């Protein structure tokens, strides 16, 4: 029996993932079936199930391979600059990543997942790659007294949600001006004290 670290198992898993990614890019999540993946990869069905207990877990693993991470902003920059850089990076990745709308739709449906399977790993990967950097910027700004403390998950939805929704339903890509509007609209309600007064003067 092959162990999880057996090189033959690693090669088989790699072939299965390569096939799943190709099918995902060419036909969306619906194209990633057991028959299609085993045919394209040349790996037996029994080997597929040893590596991936369900089609969902295989699709999730393929998503993870395609999931890029945004570039973190410099921590010493003003909070607006940090948010602009981070949101610009996330927007570019979301809009340019070769993910069809059906993939985003599959992800957004919140299909059942445990904490120890590929779907759970995918969700944690998204949190780590997208939500965590925003949380870090917001947390530092709140600790410094620049931002009024608030619900950070809601803040992530306010800053990243519109871009994801636009990608899912086929709206026009967000421009640099659009991203500035998102960030500035968010900051108007969250800037604290002196920072808010300075921002108001700058906008007038």
């Amino acid at each position: 029996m092959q162990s999880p670290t057996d090189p033959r198992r690693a090669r088989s898993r790699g072939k299965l993932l390569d096939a799943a990614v190709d099918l995902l890019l060419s036909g969306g999540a619906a194209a990633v079936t057991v028959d299609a993946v085993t045919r394209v990869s040349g790996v037996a069905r029994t080997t597929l199930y040893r590596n991936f207990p369900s089609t969902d877990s295989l699709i999730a693993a393929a998503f993870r391979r395609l999931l890029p991470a945004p570039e973190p902003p410099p921590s010493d920059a003003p909070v607006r600059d940090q948010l602009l850089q981070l949101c610009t990076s996330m927007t570019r990745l979301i809009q340019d990543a070769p993910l069809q709308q059906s993939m985003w739709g599959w992800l957004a449906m919140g299909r059942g997942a445990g904490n120890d399977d590929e779907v759970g790993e995918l969700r944690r990967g998204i949190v780590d790659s997208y939500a965590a950097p925003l949380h870090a910027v917001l947390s530092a700004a709140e600790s410094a007294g620049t931002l009024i403390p608030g619900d950070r998950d809601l803040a992530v939805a306010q800053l990243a949600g519109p871009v994801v929704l636009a990608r899912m339903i086929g709206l026009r890509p967000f421009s640099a001006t659009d991203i500035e509007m998102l960030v500035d609209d968010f900051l108007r309600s969250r800037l604290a004290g002196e920072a808010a007064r300075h921002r108001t003067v700058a906008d007038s």
Side-chain angles (χ1 to χ4, degrees):
M1 178 179 296
Q2 296 177 356
S3 72
T5 57
D6 189 296
R8 290 171 297 177
R9 180 166 182 175
R11 282 195 298 272
S12 296
R13 182 182 175 86
K15 289 180 180 179
L16 290 165
L17 275 176
D18 288 343
V21 167
D22 288 344
L23 290 164
L24 199 55
L25 293 175
S26 62
V32 186
T33 64
V34 171
D35 288 342
V37 171
T38 53
R39 183 183 70 252
V40 172
S41 66
V43 176
R45 180 184 293 255
T46 53
T47 302
L48 183 151
Y49 283 123
R50 278 199 294 270
N51 285 276
F52 305 100
S54 68
T55 305
D56 278 359
S57 68
L58 178 58
I59 295 171
F63 266 118
R64 289 180 62 206
R65 181 175 281 195
L66 291 170
L67 183 68
E71 183 179 338
S75 59
D76 57 349
V79 65
R80 182 177 184 269
D81 292 348
Q82 290 190 58
L83 289 175
L84 279 174
Q85 180 175 325
L86 191 52
C87 289
T88 298
S89 178
M90 288 194 298
T91 298
R92 185 184 69 250
L93 292 172
I94 290 168
Q95 291 180 165
D96 294 347
L99 302 179
Q100 297 185 11
Q101 293 173 20
S102 60
M103 301 181 200
W104 287 108
W106 179 88
L107 184 59
M109 286 192 307
R111 299 171 76 161
N115 290 324
D116 57 352
D117 60 12
E118 291 287 354
V119 184
E121 286 292 331
L122 171 63
R123 289 182 178 161
R124 283 191 293 276
I126 292 172
V127 170
D128 290 343
S129 296
Y130 289 85
L134 279 172
H135 276 257
V137 171
L138 297 172
S139 176
E142 290 173 4
S143 297
T146 306
L147 291 184
I148 299 169
D151 187 327
R152 292 178 196 154
D153 287 335
L154 177 60
V156 171
Q158 289 174 294
L159 292 166
V163 179
V164 174
L165 179 62
R167 180 75 165 91
M168 284 175 60
I169 65 178
L171 298 181
R172 67 170 176 80
F174 274 49
S175 66
T177 301
D178 296 327
I179 298 166
E180 284 195 48
M181 288 178 62
L182 277 178
V183 171
D184 287 339
D185 285 347
F186 168 76
L187 288 175
R188 281 190 189 96
S189 64
R190 293 289 297 274
L191 282 174
E194 194 65 24
R197 286 192 291 275
H198 282 214
R199 185 67 191 155
T200 300
V201 170
D203 288 341
S204 61

